[in-house]
Amino acid sequence: QVQVVESGGGLVQVGGSLRLSCSASGSTFSNLVVAWYRQAPGKEREWVAGIGLAPSASKYADSVNDRFTISRDNRKNTVTLRMNSLKPDDTAVYYCKARHFAGGSDYWGQGTRVTVSS
């Protein structure tokens, strides 16, 4: 069983920055593929960014490309999502999902709330 915990959300003004962290335990972290999702009020959960086993293997949704950066530190068992130039549309609960690279179950965190005020 993999335990996933997000942290780092909060209130920020338009144009500001936040850094979200996702930590995972219960499995060898370097074998986990990790992704960030978000769910805005009244909307479906959407994929934001993902990172594979290699730190360079990252992908982004078009809506956050060039503003968000996902990275991983296997020594600290952590994936970080750096969010710059935040917009009101980025307001959502952000969730981290981890899955073993060979497949199997998805493990979700409880979410961390990000609010961008104009």
Side-chain angles (χ1 to χ4, degrees):
Q1 189 80 6
V2 177
Q3 294 78 41
V4 178
V5 178
E6 305 98 333
S7 62
L11 175 65
V12 64
Q13 292 186 334
V14 169
S17 299
L18 276 177
R19 185 177 67 179
L20 305 183
S21 294
C22 172
S23 63
S25 59
S27 182
T28 302
F29 186 79
S30 58
N31 289 335
L32 298 178
V33 175
V34 178
W36 284 95
Y37 289 73
R38 66 186 181 186
Q39 187 165 18
K43 295 187 178 181
E44 294 186 352
R45 191 173 297 188
E46 64 174 355
W47 174 80
V48 174
I51 190 164
L53 301 187
S56 60
S58 57
K59 293 184 178 180
Y60 302 90
D62 289 343
S63 58
V64 306
N65 200 23
D66 294 332
R67 297 189 298 122
F68 290 11
T69 303
I70 189 170
S71 61
R72 67 186 300 153
D73 186 340
N74 290 336
R75 297 169 301 173
K76 297 181 179 180
N77 291 357
T78 299
V79 166
T80 298
L81 184 68
R82 290 181 173 83
M83 307 185 297
N84 297 324
S85 302
L86 284 164
K87 307 174 181 179
D89 285 348
D90 295 318
T91 295
V93 177
Y94 284 71
Y95 297 91
C96 180
K97 185 189 77 173
R99 177 169 53 86
H100 193 275
F101 78 94
S105 300
D106 291 333
Y107 298 94
W108 293 86
Q110 80 290 347
T112 186
R113 186 175 301 276
V114 172
T115 302
V116 183
S117 65
S118 56

